[in-house]
């Protein structure tokens, strides 16, 4: 991890948004922007009862690479990002990201880039279970 990537994990433990926000807070930061992706009860008109995330063994290395790319932005003071794996229930937090910068516009932009890149590149796949007993794998190669 670079010095400005201050918290990073792929874990089966619950994620703590406040811990990620606190990790990126610095004396120079005038803005801390955070995001949490929460398991919802529906997808494309179907009711989801639960899901499970499976991660490739390289998932943490890819997450570290993405975080380092965002942290390399000269406007970014610090980055924290974690993704959950394993079984999750509706309402559980699956992804947490936090970024600090001097000003809010840069923080919003950096956090959005971080989340978008994690979603695009992280080798973690979602197995959704629906109320009718069917299931579906999402983002699976």
């Amino acid at each position: 991890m670079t010095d400005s990537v201050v918290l990073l994990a792929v874990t089966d433990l619950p994620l703590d948004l406040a811990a990620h926000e606190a990790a990126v807070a610095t004396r120079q930061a005038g803005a801390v922007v955070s995001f949490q992706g929460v398991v919802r009860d529906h997808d494309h008109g179907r009711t989801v009862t639960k899901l499970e995330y499976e991660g490739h063994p390289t998932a943490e290395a890819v997450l570290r690479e993405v975080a380092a790319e965002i942290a390399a932005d000269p406007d970014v003071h610090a980055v924290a990002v974690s993704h959950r794996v394993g079984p999750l229930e509706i309402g559980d937090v699956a992804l947490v990201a936090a970024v600090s910068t001097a000003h809010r516009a840069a923080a919003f932009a950096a956090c959005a880039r971080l989340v978008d890149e994690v979603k695009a590149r992280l080798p973690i796949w979602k197995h959704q279970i629906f109320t009718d007993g069917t299931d579906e794998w999402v983002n699976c190669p």
Side-chain angles (χ1 to χ4, degrees):
M1 257 188 305
T2 67
D3 289 0
S4 55
V5 178
V6 295
L7 177 60
L8 181 137
V10 173
T11 181
D12 61 356
L13 299 173
L15 301 179
D16 183 348
L17 179 64
H20 285 69
E21 291 169 338
V24 301
T26 68
R27 293 175 59 95
Q28 303 88 354
V32 171
V33 170
S34 61
F35 170 85
Q36 62 179 2
V38 179
V39 177
R40 62 183 181 272
D41 68 355
H42 65 281
D43 192 29
H44 294 93
R46 300 169 72 189
T47 304
V48 175
T49 59
K50 63 181 177 179
L51 59 79
E52 184 166 354
Y53 283 102
E54 273 195 38
H56 189 272
T58 63
E60 191 163 305
V62 172
L63 188 62
R64 183 174 290 110
E65 180 180 288
V66 169
E69 289 172 14
I70 301 303
D73 180 329
D75 289 335
V76 172
H77 294 300
V79 172
V81 60
S82 298
H83 202 295
R84 186 110 178 254
V85 292
L88 282 80
E89 299 294 328
I90 305 305
D92 284 348
V93 177
L95 171 64
V96 168
V99 175
S100 64
T101 67
H103 303 285
R104 71 178 175 272
F108 278 115
C111 193
R113 282 195 322 272
L114 175 60
V115 171
D116 289 346
E117 286 298 313
V118 166
K119 296 292 285 177
R121 294 168 44 191
L122 197 63
I124 291 182
W125 304 284
K126 178 169 56 173
H127 184 206
Q128 300 185 115
I129 312 299
F130 300 101
T131 54
D132 64 6
T134 61
D135 67 331
E136 171 184 59
W137 284 92
V138 180
N139 298 331
C140 204

